């Protein structure tokens, strides 16, 4: 019952925050978010599972009840965690708590609604990472959208309405495309599955029981469904050319919402790609590896180039997400132990690092009220501590050894090098992306943080309050901790990924 | 020995509504000028709740498992009749509760409630009708009060005009419908649905029968606000008092579908009429075309409206298109599932769509304008009502915050399972489009800044009660969809299995 308790506590917390008066809502929400945080850490410490959730592994905290029986199909409340979802659940609770703490300064209107929605968002995310029945999963998947839409639309920047609508329309249409793809597969399986249970569907698909649907034979159906789902999830990730909603959403969203968006929401896309596309239809992934790798590499390079061209600190961080998530796709398509494991690890690492970056940009913005690179210079002399954390985050992004990003990217490159025909070239080009990342981050830092202090703003610049900086410190520590000892998560990730690998005939 | 209820008690949901109407008329004749709107609303609500209670009780007790036929098979009470009776009675209850506040200064209170309950009586009869004559009579019993109700705001030009349009098109389609029935009677020599079915399988007058079937279909298209008899709907829904719009677009539409499901599946089984030796008319194909056109036209028109009420009216046409899938995908592959999908959707729709129109009633009560912009920033003044409206709208769009998501997806899944993946695809595309205009309202309420001050002086208890009930039921139907689906499946199985 632990997963149910986790989601229920978060939901109740959301209602409590919603009903609380504005003055106490922030502190109440923060305090309440410690419950799911403690719960998820406890679950991590007692975690015992082996194998992959969709290929017949034993799961931790599994529950399975019947929900609706519909004709030949049944829906159930089926939740459980394996080595892929456990780290993401921990990531969600950690980042939510920190994001709530970092909201105290910037959020100054309609607070109870804001905090309620943030906790509601957390509940949805926990559901996405733990649900194992397709419909249940889809309910949570869509449930995340609604609070995000309002969070950006109400508390965002000047173009918030446009950004919120764009985010909502893009990702929702993508969900529908994905939905059609998946349902087509289920119907294509005919009588061999009797539920929308993800493990059952995955096993039937991997066993080659697809029969085809209407005019489409099994092979065509597989490919069509694969790409319907791929496009659906690629929008969420986002993969170039489906990424245009992301910078708008990021730039307009208030800092804590950006943290959730980059830190956790984008991972829904890669998590789903891993669970659906790469687990259920490994041979299609294998056949079209080159095409998918092209998407991945273009995202890496193009995202980095776009970041290089930005003059707004937050935009720089936003585009860098496109680039980092490209690595995840590259790791997945490699279809090797290290590739897929590294990709999963990168989801966590990028969640922490991008959260760190957005929060530090937010802290700088809170005091200076500007994010334009051209307006700032020499911030280090006025707010040394914040700047130090920012630099640490940037190093993490560049993949400095002993930080989480390094471990993740190293695994990905190790895994993708030589994984399929032409992968050497893709890996090499993607690795060059790191150089551009280092380039734009160092360039931006040199112009904004160092040199003589100059700032075109009417506000007094000084040290940030403790509750703004504390989450940054925690994140830096976590990034270093994961970099020094990747095995905190990598062991369980490996365990969950390894059953997937031989199916495609991959090695390493 | 257990006490055995007489057979006619199977009609209790209908009788409860009919008696309520009579009691209301009695009260009115004793005291014609009564302004005790509390009493009138209470009678109507208690009556419709009793009716819903009977329906729910019978459903749970399994009364419909063995269908009762009454009055020489003119009426049949099975799970489907009870299922729909529950829908109509619940919608009626919500509408009467909400009308309490809406009719504050209205002159014709008792008539209003009596007409509502009479129309509801007709609707429950439509779901139970087993003979074409009863279908026609009950359809008129449901329609005639509706014409009057739409026009009941006598001093409002919009209301009167809407009532007139509704009545003229209603009269036209009623005559088309009646002519269709007469042709079918001429061919088959019977009005009772199962007997019609057995004679249409062997008839040689396939041409005449075909015309008759198409005309009957036209009559249903009118009642369900489907293309090509849909154009009254936006006018009527917009001009009518908002609770009546809720009533018409939820209950009346569902009644049209209930009758259509029974008549088309029982009297004109696909195998006999479309494919057998005596093939006369492929009405399934016709319904497929209707479904696609209705969905698309309704949704596109809804997307281009300036006022919220009219947008909801057109979106209701769009939903008729979704519900038509239940008939459009009947080919024998997946019939029970598809039909159950439509029925379940109509039940959920009964709550979420009623709720949405009742929210409009609330804004009319507050004299907030009708355009999207007039709703700007309303959430800061009335967060509770706006949260309920958000639930309705997202649920209507198929976002899983309420039962609407499940029922819609089951409907589409049923179409895919029957081999009509393109029908489902059109539905999904339309749903995606619908999210655009539904979220416009959400955006206006929550995200936009208020352009002026709202004069929200009162929180009408009746409207709020109905709104909250609708919202809670809509949300609960998501986790509690299981039993709804079971009953819908049973109801559908009685028709096509």
């Amino acid at each position: 019952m632990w997963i149910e308790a986790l989601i229920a506590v978060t939901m109740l917390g959301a209602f409590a925050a919603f009903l609380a008066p504005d003055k106490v809502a922030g502190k109440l929400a923060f305090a309440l978010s410690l419950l799911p945080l403690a719960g998820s850490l406890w679950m991590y410490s007692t975690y015992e599972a082996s194998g992959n959730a969709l290929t017949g592994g034993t799961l931790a905290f599994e529950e399975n009840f019947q929900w609706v029986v519909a004709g030949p199909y049944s829906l159930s409340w089926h939740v459980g965690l394996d080595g892929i979802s456990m780290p993401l659940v921990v990531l969600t609770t950690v980042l939510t708590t920190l994001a709530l703490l970092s909201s105290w300064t910037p959020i100054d209107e309609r607070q109870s609604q804001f905090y309620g929605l943030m906790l509601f968002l957390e509940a949805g995310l926990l559901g996405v990472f733990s649900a194992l029945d397709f419909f249940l999963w889809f309910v949570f998947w869509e449930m995340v959208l609604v609070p995000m839409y309002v969070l950006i639309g109400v508390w965002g920047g000047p173009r918030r309405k446009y950004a919120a609508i764009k985010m909502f329309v893009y990702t929702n249409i993508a969900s529908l495309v994905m939905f059609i793809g998946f349902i087509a597969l289920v119907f294509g399986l005919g009588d061999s599955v009797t539920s929308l249970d993800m493990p059952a569907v995955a096993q039937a698909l991997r066993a080659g029981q697809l029969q085809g649907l209407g005019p489409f034979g099994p092979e065509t159906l597989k490919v069509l469904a694969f790409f319907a789902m791929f496009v659906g999830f690629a929008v969420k990730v986002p993969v170039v050319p489906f990424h245009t909603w992301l910078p708008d959403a990021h730039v307009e969203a208030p800092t804590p919402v950006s943290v959730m968006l980059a830190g956790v929401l984008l991972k829904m896309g890669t998590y789903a790609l891993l669970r659906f596309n790469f687990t259920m239809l490994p041979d299609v992934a294998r056949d079209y590896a080159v095409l998918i790798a092209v998407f991945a590499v273009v995202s890496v390079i193009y995202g980095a180039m776009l970041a290089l061209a930005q003059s707004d600190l937050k935009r720089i961080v936003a585009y860098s997400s496109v680039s980092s998530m490209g690595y995840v796709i590259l790791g997945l398509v490699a279809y090797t132990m290290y590739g897929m494991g590294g990709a999963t690890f990168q989801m966590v690492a990028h969640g922490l690092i991008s959260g760190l970056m957005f929060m530090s940009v937010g802290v700088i913005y809170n005091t200076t009220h500007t994010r334009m690179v051209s307006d700032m210079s020499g911030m280090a002399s006025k707010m040394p501590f914040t700047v130090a954390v920012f630099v640490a985050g940037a190093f993490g992004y560049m993949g400095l050894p002993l930080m989480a990003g390094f471990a993740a990217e190293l695994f990905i490159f190790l895994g993708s090098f030589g994984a399929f025909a032409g992968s050497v070239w893709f890996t090499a080009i993607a690795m060059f992306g790191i150089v551009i990342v280092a380039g734009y981050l160092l360039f931006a830092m040199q112009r904004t943080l160092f040199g003589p202090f100059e700032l075109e703003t009417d506000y007094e610049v000084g040290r940030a309050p403790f509750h703004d900086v504390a989450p940054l410190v925690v994140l830096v520590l976590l990034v270093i901790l994961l970099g020094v000892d990747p095995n905190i998560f990598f062991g369980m990730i490996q365990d969950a990924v390894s059953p997937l690998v031989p199916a495609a005939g991959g090695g390493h | 020995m257990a006490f055995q209820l007489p057979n006619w008690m199977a009609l209790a949901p209908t009788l409860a509504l009919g008696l309520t109407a009579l009691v209301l008329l009695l009260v009115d004749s004793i005291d014609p000028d009564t302004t005790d709107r509390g009493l009138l609303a209470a009678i109507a609500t208690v009556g419709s709740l009793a009716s819903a209670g009977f329906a729910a009780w019978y459903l749970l007790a399994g009364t419909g498992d063995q269908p009762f036929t009454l009055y020489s098979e003119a009426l049949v009470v099975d799970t489907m009749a009870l299922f729909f009776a529950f829908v109509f009675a619940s919608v009626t209850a919500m509408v009467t509760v909400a009308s309490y506040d809406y009719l504050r200064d209205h002159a014709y209170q008792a008539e209003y409630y009596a007409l509502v309950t009479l129309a509801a009586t007709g609707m429950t009869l439509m779901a139970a009708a087993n003979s074409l004559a009863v279908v026609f009579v009950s359809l008129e019993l449901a329609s005639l009060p509706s014409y009057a109700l739409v026009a009941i705001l006598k001093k409002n030009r919009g209301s009167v005009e809407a009532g007139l349009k509704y009545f003229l098109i209603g009269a036209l389609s009623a005559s088309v419908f009646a002519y269709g029935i007469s042709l079918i009677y001429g061919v088959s020599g019977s009005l009772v649905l199962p007997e019609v079915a057995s004679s249409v399988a062997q008839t040689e007058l396939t041409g005449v029968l075909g015309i008759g079937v198409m005309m009957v279909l036209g009559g249903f298209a009118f009642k369900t606000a489907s293309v090509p008899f849909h154009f009254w709907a936006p006018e009527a829904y917009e001009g009518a008092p908002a609770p009546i719009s809720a009533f018409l677009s939820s209950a009346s539409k569902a009644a049209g579908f209930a009758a259509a499901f029974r008549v088309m599946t029982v009297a004109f089984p696909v195998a006999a009429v479309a494919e057998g030796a005596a093939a006369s008319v492929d009405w399934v194909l016709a319904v497929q075309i209707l479904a696609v056109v209705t969905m698309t036209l309704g949704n596109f028109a809804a997307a281009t409206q300036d006022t919220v009420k009219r947008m909801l009216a057109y979106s209701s046409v769009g939903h008729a298109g979704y519900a038509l899938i239940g008939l459009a995908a009947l080919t024998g592959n997946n019939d029970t599932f598809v039909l159950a999908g439509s029925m379940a959707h109509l039940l959920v729709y009964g709550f979420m769509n009623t709720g949405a129109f009742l929210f409009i009633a609330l804004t009319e009560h507050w004299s907030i304008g009708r355009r999207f912009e007039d709703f700007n920033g309303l959430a800061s003044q009335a967060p509770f009502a706006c949260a309920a409206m958000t639930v309705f709208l997202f649920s209507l769009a198929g976002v899983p915050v309420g039962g609407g998501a499940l029922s819609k997806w089951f409907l589409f899944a049923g179409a895919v399972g029957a081999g009509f993946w393109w029908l489902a695809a059109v539905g999904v595309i339309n749903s995606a489009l619908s999210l655009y205009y539904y979220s416009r309202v959400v955006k206006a309420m929550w995200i936009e800044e208020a352009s002026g001050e709202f004069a929200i002086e009162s929180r009408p208890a009746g409207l709020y009660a109905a709104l909250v009930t609708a919202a809670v039921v809509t949300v609960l139907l998501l986790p509690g969809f299981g039993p709804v689906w079971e009953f819908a499946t049973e109801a559908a199985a009685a028709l096509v299995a």
Side-chain angles (χ1 to χ4, degrees), chain B residues 273-290:
Chain B
V273 188
E275 287 151 17
S280 53
V281 55
D282 191 350
W283 61 261
V284 173
L285 180 69
V287 176
Q288 281 162 10
I289 298 167
L290 282 192

Side-chain angles (χ1 to χ4, degrees), chain A residues 367-380:
Chain A
T367 40
T368 62
H369 293 256
T370 179
R371 289 191 308 249
M372 303 312 284
V373 172
S374 54
D375 292 348
M376 286 185 248
S377 173
M379 299 303 302

Side-chain angles (χ1 to χ4, degrees), chain A residues 67-72 75 110 113 135 138-139 142 146 149 153-154 160-161 165 168 172-173 176 179-180 187 213 215, chain B residues 337 379 394 399-401 405-406 409-410 413 416-417 421 428 432 435 439 442-443 446-449 478-479 481-482 485:
Chain A
W67 180 13
V68 185
V69 181
L75 311 181
R110 292 165 81 175
Q113 290 174 23
F135 207 91
F138 190 72
V139 167
E142 294 285 294
V146 179
Y149 171 65
V154 174
R160 58 182 181 272
K161 292 167 198 164
I165 289 277
F168 196 70
N172 196 67
I173 290 178
L176 295 175
F179 190 93
I180 298 176
F187 280 109
L213 188 67
Chain B
F337 193 121
F394 277 133
V399 177
V401 293
L406 270 176
W409 292 123
F410 273 35
V416 175
W421 56 270
V428 171
L435 194 60
S439 63
V442 177
K443 181 170 160 245
W446 291 93
I447 294 178
E448 300 285 351
E449 311 284 336
L478 183 62
F481 195 67
W485 184 259

